[in-house]
Every structure is written in C-alpha cells, then in structure tokens.
Amino acid sequence: MEIDLADLFRRLCRQWKQIMACAAVCAVIAGGYGWIMGSPAEEISGGKVQEELTEAEEQAVMDAVRLEAETGELETYLQNSVLMHADPYEKHKYVMLYSIDRADRQELAKITESYLNFIINGGAADMLEDSGKNRKLEKRYLAEIVSAYQKIYSSPYLITVDGDAQENMFSESLFYVEVTGRDEKEARELAQDMQAVIKQYSPEAAKHAGKHRLELAGSMHSVTADSGLLAQQREKKQLLSSNRTNLRTIVDAFNEAQLQAYQEAAGLEEGHGKEEILQEISDGNARSLKKYIFLGFAGGIMAYAGIFSCCYLLRDTVKSLDEMKRLYTFPVFGGIPFEKGKRKHGSTEPEMRQEASEREKARVLNRIRIACGRKGIKRLYAVSDFELSGREKVFLDSMAMQLKEWGIDMTVAENTAADAVLWDNIAEAGNVLMVCRIGTTTHRMADDAMRFYLENGIAVAGAAVFLQGANGWR
C-alpha cells in the first residue's frame, strides 16, 4: 500500500509534546548513565583502591605523579620568574663596575673570587631576600637575574706594558655586576639594592680574604635584544604545554584503580598541580556528561519518531481523507471536522476555525443532497461499524433532518455488526451512506463492507468521513 510521507511527517510534527517528553526522559537516563560512568574520577580522592595494579599500571601511575610534580613546578616558575616575564626584544639591565685596590698582590685574586662567589652562587640573593626589599621574589628567582663576571686582559696587552706597569696593574682588580628587570624602574631599584648588599658584604670579604678597598667605578643602564632569553622562554613554554598534554593523555587512559592510586600518590607529592589535574578531570567528566545528555536527547527524538513511523506503517486504519479518495471508487463527499478544546475569551482564531468547520459540514451535506438527487435516492441508511460519539450523532441527526426537508429519508445506524433486523431494513432500502472515522475505520472494515454490499445488491451512495481522530495517535 502506498504511504503518504507528507501525511506521516505532518502527523509526526503534531506529536511534538510527546517527542519532547520522550527526548527529555532519554536525556535524563543517558545523563544518569554518564554520571555513573564518570563518578569514579570525581570520587577518587576519598576512595581506596580495591583491586591490585599490575606492574605496568603501577609504573604508569608513578610516571604520571612525577610528570604532575614537574608540571606544577614549571607552572610556578613561569608565573613568578622575572626572567620569564622580561621582554627579550627590549631587555632592561643595569651593569655596575667595581674596582678592588689597596690589596696585597698575592691576595687580590682571592678577594675578587670572594665577591664573584658571593654574587654568582646565591649569597647576594640570600641577602636581598632577607632585606625584605624584594620580598615578593624568592631566592631562586633573584639568583637568575643577578650575575657577575670579570674581564681578563689579553696577552698582547700584557706584552705592551713594562714590568713596573704590569705590577701596578695587578695590584688592583675589576669585576662587573649585572642585574635584569622587567622594565627600567625595576632594574634600577634592583641595582640600588644590589649596591647596598655588596657594600654590606665588603667587611666580611676583607675579614676572610684580605684587606682591600672596594669602590663603585660606575653603572650604566642598557636595553638590548636577547635571543638567548627568547629561546629560553619558548623552550619553557613548549615544555609546559607538552607536559600538560602528556599528563592529560596518561590520566584519561587510567582505569578506576589507577585513578585512585594516582590521586593518593599525588597527595604524597605535596599536591603540586593536584588542583589543576582534578579540574581537568572534572572538566572532562562535565564534557562527557553533556555529550551523554545530548546523545540521549537526540536518541529519544529518533526513537519516538521510529516507533511512531512503525506504528503508522503497521496500523491498518484509514489515515487521511486523501487516502480514502485514492483507494476507493465510491464518492467521498468530504471530511467533517469538529472544533476541539474550549474557546479562549477574546480569541478570534477559534471562531475562525469554527466557521471553517461549519462551512465544511454544509459542503458535505450539499454534496450528499446533489448525489442523491441525481441517482434518484429517496431513502438511505448512514451506516457505521463503530460507536458514534455524541457530537457525531448530533451532526448525523441534524443532517437527517435537513435531508428530510429536501425529500430524502436518512436513518442513522451505528455499530451494525450484530443487528439482523437492521440489516434487513438496509437491504430493503438498497442504499447506504458509509460513515468512516480517520484513525478508527480500517481498510479491512471498509473492504468487508464493500464486499457485502456488492454481494447483496446494496448501492453505496458514497462516504462521509469524520476527522476528529486525525490529530491524535492515528
């Protein structure tokens, strides 16, 4: 049998409330399933591992813990390091030149190395941190922006001077101290603090390395482009991105037992990066839950549409007025609609629909009158194989009264299957008006009735179709 796809789609669209309800239920079920599946990752902090890990799984957990700690340290470094925030294309630094004199020649090298050791190996950074002037910076961040070095005279220069000059030259020593800041102001302030620290250290150097005099020979601010700093910054950022990606990949592949073991081990690592990892896991679970809800919602729509379509195809009822006209050769006088629901006060739309319904009823009645007049029918039965509703009875009774005024006697006969006397009267009259209802009358009912009428010489004047079943589950 041909299927009217437009009618199927139209009926399916009318079921939008049921579709939304089914989709919502499926979304809730799928969301609950997704939450259950993702709950181990959210509750791992309070649980204990119930199953033993294999050697490979345990190794993967320890690798993740080490990578987590490394990632946390790297994130902290990138956030607090002055060097990582300095502009490599406009690096601000202050260079201070110090001279050491009035020292024995044999002790001069020891005195100079004492200062270099103090500055390069963290002594100056300790004093800067303890002074409180740079309390926002830890020693490790101060140490990387403070450096010291000494220029060595070349051999040709040494040869050009005589012995007395050479001796005088080596009776004093020079070294440079360099500090770096994010901008000129920060570099200048750090240089001033550094001068105070070196001046404070000078008596201790004299006590342990030898007597001498230390003087600041000059200082200079400079701005340079540092390609080495640029490469260092890029390397650290790329390493952090790589660590995060690798850690996320490892954690996502863990089973429940590994996740619990991982969190417990991460707690032993003083929690470096733990909050970030937990947040990433939580975000992943949230995305997964949203995916489950979306798939459940879409699946609910598709499931309802599939079930509705199957029922539509398998049900044997007459599904539309057009289908009735297409399948049968007897005249179909039209569809009789009934206005549903209560009218809203002040609304014109229900009134317009009511007027359209009345016009359609009048059209059906006039078509029956004309058909009966052309065929000379004076008496006929309006026959239905189902029980009529109150409104349907009222309409057929009013139609019978109108036809009687036009000289046509119509008797309404409903649910005629077991009434033998009624069938005798129908056979005597010889004419019937088939009364059908969309969604109730089946093709088998119509075929059996037509077969019976033909076998017994009863003429079918036509059919009138009630449409009130066309908007529900049909």
Side-chain angles (χ1 to χ4, degrees), residues 42 83 136 155 198 285 455:
E42 298 173 359
L83 207 58
K136 294 182 180 180
S155 298
I198 295 176
N285 289 335
E455 290 174 353

Side-chain angles (χ1 to χ4, degrees), residues 203-221:
E204 185 176 350
K207 178 179 179 181
H208 293 92
K211 294 182 179 180
H212 64 280
R213 184 180 66 177
L214 178 69
E215 289 185 348
L216 177 63
S219 63
M220 182 66 65
H221 167 255

Side-chain angles (χ1 to χ4, degrees), residues 18-36 286-304:
Q18 292 87 335
I19 292 174
M20 290 297 103
C22 180
V25 171
C26 292
V28 170
I29 295 174
Y33 175 78
W35 180 82
I36 293 173
R287 289 192 296 269
S288 178
L289 184 60
K290 291 178 181 178
K291 180 182 70 175
Y292 276 106
I293 293 175
F294 174 77
L295 292 177
F297 190 83
I301 294 176
M302 295 179 64
Y304 188 92

Side-chain angles (χ1 to χ4, degrees), residues 239-438:
L239 179 60
L240 177 61
S241 177
S242 176
N243 284 359
R244 285 174 173 172
T245 302
N246 293 338
L247 182 59
R248 189 179 298 110
T249 301
I250 295 174
V251 173
D252 288 345
F254 281 171
N255 56 34
E256 180 181 354
Q258 285 179 297
L259 283 172
Q260 293 182 8
Y262 165 70
Q263 290 304 322
E264 291 179 0
L268 298 177
E269 297 296 329
E270 298 181 356
H272 292 306
K274 182 176 180 179
E275 294 182 358
E276 291 78 3
I277 298 301
L278 284 173
Q279 185 63 39
E280 290 179 3
I281 295 174
S282 177
D283 293 343
N285 289 335
R287 289 192 296 269
S288 178
L289 184 60
K290 291 178 181 178
K291 180 182 70 175
Y292 276 106
I293 293 175
F294 174 77
L295 292 177
F297 190 83
I301 294 176
M302 295 179 64
Y304 188 92
I307 295 173
F308 183 91
S309 300
C310 289
C311 292
Y312 180 89
L313 297 176
L314 296 176
R315 285 172 67 90
D316 191 40
T317 57
V318 177
K319 298 176 177 64
S320 66
L321 188 63
D322 292 336
E323 182 181 357
M324 195 84 178
K325 295 177 180 179
R326 185 174 65 250
L327 293 179
Y328 299 100
T329 57
F330 54 76
V332 178
F333 296 123
I336 306 167
F338 288 104
E339 178 64 23
K340 285 189 171 185
K342 298 180 180 180
R343 296 185 182 181
K344 295 181 180 179
H345 180 70
S347 176
T348 60
E349 184 178 354
E351 296 179 358
M352 296 174 62
R353 289 200 297 265
Q354 181 67 21
E355 291 177 1
S357 177
E358 295 298 332
R359 286 196 300 269
E360 186 62 28
K361 293 175 184 177
R363 185 181 297 111
V364 171
L365 181 60
N366 284 313
R367 288 177 179 176
I368 294 173
R369 177 180 63 83
I370 293 173
C372 290
R374 293 186 62 183
K375 297 178 181 180
I377 299 174
K378 297 299 181 180
R379 185 184 178 193
L380 79 162
Y381 277 79
V383 181
S384 70
D385 289 336
F386 53 90
E387 186 175 351
L388 297 170
S389 67
R391 302 180 72 180
E392 291 169 343
K393 289 179 182 179
V394 171
F395 173 77
L396 291 176
D397 290 341
S398 65
M399 188 172 68
M401 294 175 60
Q402 185 65 45
L403 290 174
K404 191 172 184 179
E405 294 178 1
W406 294 332
I408 303 171
D409 184 13
M410 188 185 81
T411 303
V412 179
E414 61 173 314
N415 201 12
T416 58
D419 195 336
V421 176
L422 183 60
W423 278 110
D424 291 339
N425 294 334
I426 292 174
E428 182 181 351
N431 296 287
V432 297
L433 172 68
M434 291 183 62
V435 179
C436 303
R437 182 194 290 158
I438 297 298

Side-chain angles (χ1 to χ4, degrees), residues 43-209:
E43 299 173 357
I44 46 182
S45 59
K48 295 184 178 180
V49 181
Q50 300 296 328
E51 52 185 283
E52 295 183 359
L53 300 178
T54 64
E55 184 177 351
E57 289 175 340
E58 186 175 353
Q59 183 62 44
V61 170
M62 298 311 298
D63 290 342
V65 171
R66 284 192 293 269
L67 187 57
E68 178 199 13
E70 179 183 342
T71 303
E73 290 290 350
L74 187 56
E75 287 177 343
T76 303
Y77 172 75
L78 288 175
Q79 289 173 1
N80 300 323
S81 172
V82 174
L83 207 58
M84 292 296 104
H85 290 277
D87 187 354
Y89 299 102
E90 192 176 339
K91 179 181 176 182
H92 291 271
K93 64 179 182 178
Y94 261 84
V95 180
M96 295 165 283
L97 175 61
Y98 281 92
S99 68
I100 300 173
D101 59 5
R102 297 183 183 178
D104 292 339
R105 181 176 179 184
Q106 293 81 2
E107 297 177 344
L108 187 59
K110 182 170 63 172
I111 296 170
T112 304
E113 291 298 329
S114 176
Y115 281 104
L116 295 178
N117 180 64
F118 169 73
I119 297 170
I120 295 174
N121 294 320
D126 282 334
M127 293 185 68
L128 283 172
E129 186 179 21
D130 294 339
S131 67
K133 296 181 179 179
N134 292 276
R135 63 179 62 91
K136 294 182 180 180
L137 295 178
E138 297 179 11
K139 175 183 177 180
R140 53 177 171 170
Y141 306 123
L142 288 168
E144 66 180 0
I145 57 176
V146 174
S147 63
Y149 54 90
Q150 186 180 25
K151 292 184 177 180
I152 304 299
Y153 292 105
S154 61
S155 298
Y157 179 80
L158 296 175
I159 295 174
T160 57
V161 295
D162 56 19
D164 295 337
Q166 183 176 354
E167 182 176 353
N168 292 334
M169 180 185 66
F170 278 106
S171 64
E172 66 177 9
S173 177
L174 302 174
F175 66 92
Y176 294 86
V177 178
E178 181 180 312
V179 295
T180 302
R182 282 180 285 248
D183 50 37
E184 181 181 359
K185 179 182 178 182
E186 186 177 57
R188 182 175 61 254
E189 291 176 353
L190 185 58
Q192 293 172 354
D193 295 340
M194 194 63 187
Q195 292 173 18
V197 165
I198 295 176
K199 184 177 181 181
Q200 183 180 351
Y201 175 74
S202 183
E204 185 176 350
K207 178 179 179 181
H208 293 92

